[in-house]
Amino acid sequence: MITTRKIFNGIAFLAALSVVGGALIAAFSFGLFAPVSGKEAAANAVAQTGGYAKEVEFEYDYHTGGRYEVEVLADGLKHKVIVDADDGKVLGVHTKGHKKYHYHSNNMPVQM
């Protein structure tokens, strides 16, 4: 009877430990322990490119550390901005495609 109770208590302890460990891993993967928040990363990305931030995603790599990928829309272009999660510096900007929206100015001839 006592042996069965010890085994059950051990299993319950391991189950509780795995739930707590899973919660910590999930919190880490969302960037909750990063020195720079997602809002600060979005603000730095928008300051670099202009426009507005559409999406912020936290990524962690064992070799490079944590960083944010911020998708910014500015002047009809989509920019992917990489922001360091440790100090908030913009590491790189990648602009995708061409302008989606072309604006017609008065000095350009209209083609029909």
Side-chain angles (χ1 to χ4, degrees), residues 1 28 51 103:
M1 180 76 170
F28 184 76
Y103 297 103

Side-chain angles (χ1 to χ4, degrees), residues 34-37 40-41 44 58 64-68 82-91:
V36 175
S37 70
E40 292 171 336
N44 291 347
F58 180 77
T64 59
R67 59 185 179 174
Y68 289 96
I82 307 296
V83 179
D84 190 7
D86 291 329
D87 56 7
K89 290 183 182 177
V90 174
L91 300 176

Side-chain angles (χ1 to χ4, degrees), residues 15 17 20 38 47 52 54 61 80 85 88-89 92-93 95 108:
L17 188 63
V20 169
Y52 66 94
K54 181 178 176 187
D61 184 26
K80 184 173 85 171
K89 290 183 182 177
V93 178
T95 303
M108 292 177 56

Side-chain angles (χ1 to χ4, degrees), residues 9 18 24-26 34 38-39 43 49 58 67 77 80 87 97 106:
N9 286 343
S18 66
L24 288 174
I25 289 172
K39 287 182 182 181
T49 60
F58 180 77
R67 59 185 179 174
L77 296 173
K80 184 173 85 171
D87 56 7
N106 290 336

Side-chain angles (χ1 to χ4, degrees), residues 69-88:
E69 267 189 22
V70 183
E71 187 175 305
V72 178
L73 298 176
D75 296 328
L77 296 173
K78 190 183 289 185
H79 305 280
K80 184 173 85 171
V81 182
I82 307 296
V83 179
D84 190 7
D86 291 329
D87 56 7

